[in-house]
Structures are given as structure tokens and as C-alpha cells.
Amino acid sequence: MADLLLLIDDDESLRRVTGHNLEGAGFAVRLAASGRQGLELFKAENFDLVITDIQLGDLDGLAVLAAIKAQAPETPVIVITAFGSIDLAVRAMQEGAFTFITKPFDRETLRLACRKALEMRNLKVRNRDLAAEVDRLSGAEGMETANPAMAELLAMARRAADSEASVLITGESGTGKEVLARLLHRHSPRREGPLVAVNCAAIPPTLLESELFGHVRGAFTGAVANRRGRFQSAAGGTIFLDEIGELPPELQAKLLRVIQEREVEPVGSDRREKIDVRLIAATNRDIQAEIAAGRFREDLFYRLGVILLEIPPLRQRREDIPALVDHFLKRIGAPAEVRFSPAALARLADYPWPGNIRELGNLVERSVILRRGTEIGPADLQLPAPAGAADSAWLPELPPDGLSLEEVEKELIRKALARSGGNRSQAARLLRLPRHVLIYRLEKFDLN
């Protein structure tokens, strides 16, 4: 059976010609004239690969990329655009794109990129079950460390695992919060029970209460039968609430009651059900800032954070990068002779890793697929050039009494927004940040 491709482009002529060329190469192709139409098609069928333009009118290609990766992380996405730049390419790949192609391109370039992307996808699928078994037997990815702060965190986590106390894990996106939650469960007395993970940001707020606590038949339109919630499904085990900072205020109050009373009330029911679960939550937000802004309940924070574990970003544990690279090479099943050169590892150590361990894993996988030999060198990494002395020449001398790093960061963000005329994407490029990281900092510092 031919691989099924989804091509999203608002240029009718290019869409038709490119689709014809791909079909000529043996692929089955569906065409979409807009980002929204493309996402509707993606929900309806199981696509092996998505090709999307950046400039789509209704949704930009990066928004389409984010939606696809949230729904099906293993589906590769190739981004094409007439407005190519290194910054945009790096952003797209940091957010999960397989590769980046600028218009105009010849048909063989796109065909080759499609074959490589599908090869990578098939490699992921073949190794998914093996990777899960390796993680189970040898420890979770990113959790082996030579960094003192990370080692202390892991020691604290192992001590906490034996208890029934709620745990709140904080840290930037991609640092391994869910991995740490799985480690806590695996070393707990509940290890034989289920671990049920819920991404609170991925479920629409109107459905989240039913998803968490269940519902009875007739509770709302479409509720044709009783359904157990995630809390009931986690009985005897652990429930992991990821992105807890995205929980709507009304659900925060209900979750607080569930934690206090150890029982849930399904939507549409007047009966409460006892639950037996251990709760672990995680967020990439500054939870204290969210409390100060009135977006998160302080009493819920104290219930969730009986034990607080903050995972340091990868840029603060650079000594772990060589071991992590070896881990990902084994995980994807790379040939034994494939290695990263010392110069490549040094280049990785210089990079700030805004996407943390997740970004490193993507880079290793991409480098293995696109390698030109058995040794992967700096030129194969597709990373921006390291910052030179010129980048720091303007920095002020540190005064004897010190200064506020937060205020320096706020001022840099203000200047970047002023220079870009308020354009967040351009400001993010000036600051060498992914757009979503800049938006997070704007919210964190209340600079919107």
C-alpha cells in the first residue's frame, strides 16, 4: 500500500503540480487549500507524512505543525516556504518539523525529503516497543546524570517515591517531567497499578471535567453511556496531570475537593465515588507568578506540591549531553559505527537548548537519518552558529552590588518588541528564542 501524504498549500497551481509529481513517485496524496482544511483532513485519515506551506492565510504553517504534533507526534512534517531563513528553519525544526525546504524547489528534492521522512517514521515505529522496554529495564531517558543538581533531584525523587504524598514537578518544556513522573511511579509501592497520564492542555476545557471524573448517560449531548474518568481508571496506581497550570479556575476548585475528600463526582451524577490514587502533577509555568496573577489557586498549589521537584534545563547540565546523545543513538537503533565527533559534541555543549532534552533527541534522530557517513560532524547538526564575542560586547559590567537578571531580561524583551514594531515572531528571532518561549516570558513578566 502506498504511503499517504497530506499536502497543504493555498497556491492552487503549486498544490496541483506538486501533488501530481508526488503521485508520480508512487505516493497517495490528499490536497488541502488551507490550514484549517488540512487539519480537518488530518483528523479524518491516518497520514504517514504532512507537507505544509508556512504562509497559509488562515493558519500559519507553524500552527499547523504544532496541531499535528499534538495529535500525532510520530507523523513527520516537512515545511515549505517562499520566505526561507535560517531562523525560521531552526524554529520549525525545534518545534518538530523533519526538514525545511524553500521555494522554488525541484520535484526530486521534495521526493527525496519525503522518502527520508518516511524512513525516519518507520524507524520510530519499529523501535517504539523496544524503546519502551529499554526505558523500563535501564531507567528513564534523561534521568542518568553527572550533574550535581540533577543528581540531588533524583535522590530526592527516589526518597519521595515510597510515600503517598502528592508531587508537583516543574521545569521548562522538554526537560523530562513526564519521564520523572514515570520514574516516581515505577519506584513506588503502586508500581503494579496503572499510571494514567493526562495532558490538561490538550483536552478542550468543556470536555476536561468529564475526562477526569467521568460522566453518566444523558449528562450532556453525546453522552450515550456511562463513562469512567481518568481518576477512576487510575485506581490502585498513579494519575499524572501534565500541564496543570492550564487547568481552568472552575476545575481547579473541583480538583482541590477531589484531593481533599478522595472522591469524585461524575458529570451529571449526584453520587460520589471513592478513589484510591497517588497524584503527580507537572507544569512548565512559573506557578508562583500564576498564583500572584490570580490564575492559579494557592490552596491547590499547597495540596499538589507537598513535594516540589524542579528539573534543571539542559543548558544547566551540559555535562550530561554526551551520555544523552549515546542514549538516543541506542534508542533509535542507529548502527553501532555511527558516532558524533568530538567537535560536534563541543558544538552541542555550546548551544543553549531552548527545547531541552526533547530538542536534543530530535536532533540526534535527524542527524542519523541525514548523515553522510558514520561520523556526524558540526556541519551535520543544522544548528545556528555559536554566539561570538560580538554578541556579549554590549553587556554592562556587573556592579559591585549586583543587578536583577529578571529586569535585564524584561528590558531586552521590551527593546526587541520595540525594534520589531510589536511583531512577536520577529522579536523572538532577534532574541534567538522559539516564539512560544517568548510568549511564555511575556506572560510570566506581564509584558503583554
Side-chain angles (χ1 to χ4, degrees):
M1 179 180 290
D3 290 306
L4 182 59
L5 276 56
L6 173 60
L7 173 61
I8 309 172
D9 199 305
D10 59 358
D11 184 329
E12 181 180 357
S13 176
L14 186 143
R15 187 172 67 248
R16 186 179 65 254
V17 171
T18 303
H20 176 74
N21 289 336
L22 289 171
E23 288 174 344
F27 300 113
V29 184
R30 302 283 187 274
L31 303 178
S34 69
R36 297 189 190 282
Q37 183 187 10
L39 292 178
E40 288 174 3
L41 287 174
F42 189 80
K43 290 178 181 177
E45 296 190 67
N46 293 320
F47 288 94
D48 299 299
L49 171 66
V50 177
I51 305 166
T52 181
D53 193 7
I54 286 286
Q55 304 293 337
L56 291 173
D58 58 345
L59 284 177
D60 68 81
L62 293 182
V64 172
L65 168 66
I68 288 172
K69 287 299 177 182
Q71 183 176 337
E74 290 186 351
T75 302
V77 179
I78 294 174
V79 176
I80 56 175
T81 182
F83 305 94
S85 72
I86 293 298
D87 289 334
L88 192 57
V90 170
R91 277 187 56 212
M93 290 188 293
Q94 285 175 348
E95 295 180 22
F98 172 74
T99 194
F100 180 95
I101 300 176
T102 55
K103 300 177 184 177
F105 52 84
D106 60 71
R107 63 184 183 182
E108 195 53 42
T109 297
L110 182 58
R111 288 177 175 182
L112 180 60
C114 289
R115 293 189 186 101
K116 288 285 188 181
L118 290 166
E119 178 186 339
M120 181 196 73
R121 178 185 179 277
N122 293 337
L123 184 63
K124 283 185 175 181
V125 171
R126 287 197 302 269
N127 284 281
R128 182 173 53 201
D129 293 339
L130 176 61
E133 182 66 9
V134 168
D135 280 348
R136 186 182 71 82
L137 294 174
S138 63
E141 68 182 46
M143 295 295 108
E144 301 82 13
T145 186
N147 177 268
M150 189 67 184
E152 176 58 31
L153 174 80
L154 292 177
M156 187 186 304
R158 291 188 180 98
R159 293 194 299 271
D162 284 334
S163 76
E164 288 287 304
S166 299
V167 178
L168 178 61
I169 305 171
T170 62
E172 296 177 7
S173 293
T175 49
K177 295 185 289 296
E178 183 170 352
V179 174
L180 183 57
R182 293 184 181 279
L183 184 146
L184 284 164
H185 173 73
R186 194 161 55 241
H187 288 83
S188 77
R190 295 176 173 267
R191 66 177 67 87
E192 300 302 324
L195 171 63
V196 177
V198 184
N199 186 333
C200 298
I203 302 172
T206 53
L207 299 178
L208 191 53
E209 182 179 0
S210 169
E211 193 70 27
L212 291 176
F213 310 134
H215 63 253
V216 297
R217 180 180 178 181
F220 49 84
T221 303
V224 296
N226 293 347
R227 182 181 176 185
R228 302 174 74 209
R230 300 293 186 93
F231 271 87
Q232 294 97 316
S233 298
T238 303
I239 187 166
F240 172 55
L241 301 182
D242 198 7
E243 304 295 354
I244 193 72
E246 308 296 330
L247 207 63
E250 62 273 15
L251 273 185
Q252 292 181 29
K254 292 180 180 180
L255 178 59
L256 178 64
R257 188 178 68 244
V258 167
I259 298 172
Q260 290 173 335
E261 300 177 8
R262 312 304 294 178
E263 57 186 22
V264 298
E265 184 176 316
V267 177
S269 174
D270 57 2
R271 299 181 60 184
R272 295 182 178 181
E273 302 177 18
K274 289 292 183 182
I275 55 169
D276 173 28
V277 298
R278 199 257 182 103
L279 178 60
I280 301 175
T283 181
N284 60 9
R285 291 180 175 269
D286 182 337
I287 206 71
Q288 295 292 350
E290 294 296 296
I291 293 171
R295 291 188 290 264
F296 200 84
R297 295 179 63 111
E298 188 172 20
D299 48 2
L300 178 57
F301 166 72
Y302 289 123
R303 286 287 184 177
L304 291 172
V306 176
I307 297 173
L308 287 171
L309 299 175
E310 182 175 0
I311 304 180
L314 185 55
R315 62 183 172 274
Q316 293 179 10
R317 42 180 296 216
R318 297 174 191 269
E319 59 268 53
D320 288 339
I321 289 175
L324 287 168
V325 168
D326 287 342
H327 172 85
F328 286 121
L329 287 173
K330 293 174 183 175
R331 176 167 184 167
I332 65 174
E337 64 272 15
V338 172
R339 58 184 290 273
F340 280 65
S341 71
L345 291 174
R347 177 72 186 89
L348 297 182
D350 286 338
Y351 184 62
W353 297 109
N356 290 294
I357 294 174
R358 184 183 298 126
E359 183 184 355
L360 176 61
N362 289 341
L363 177 137
V364 171
E365 205 160 1
R366 184 170 64 249
S367 300
V368 170
I369 296 293
L370 301 179
R371 72 186 189 278
R372 290 169 287 187
T374 57
E375 184 173 84
I376 296 169
D380 302 313
L381 299 178
Q382 299 185 30
L383 287 174
D391 293 318
S392 58
W394 62 272
L395 289 172
E397 289 293 325
L398 188 66
D401 57 345
L403 52 75
S404 168
L405 184 60
E406 181 175 304
E407 290 304 318
V408 172
E409 188 173 0
K410 286 182 183 178
E411 184 60 24
L412 285 173
I413 292 173
R414 291 189 189 101
K415 288 183 177 179
L417 287 169
R419 180 172 296 183
S420 64
N423 186 304
R424 293 180 175 186
S425 297
Q426 187 177 346
R429 287 195 291 274
L430 289 172
L431 295 169
R432 299 183 183 177
L433 290 174
R435 186 173 184 273
H436 71 274
V437 174
L438 175 61
I439 291 173
Y440 166 71
R441 285 183 163 87
L442 289 172
E443 294 175 352
K444 173 182 177 181
F445 296 137
D446 196 22
L447 295 176
N448 286 311

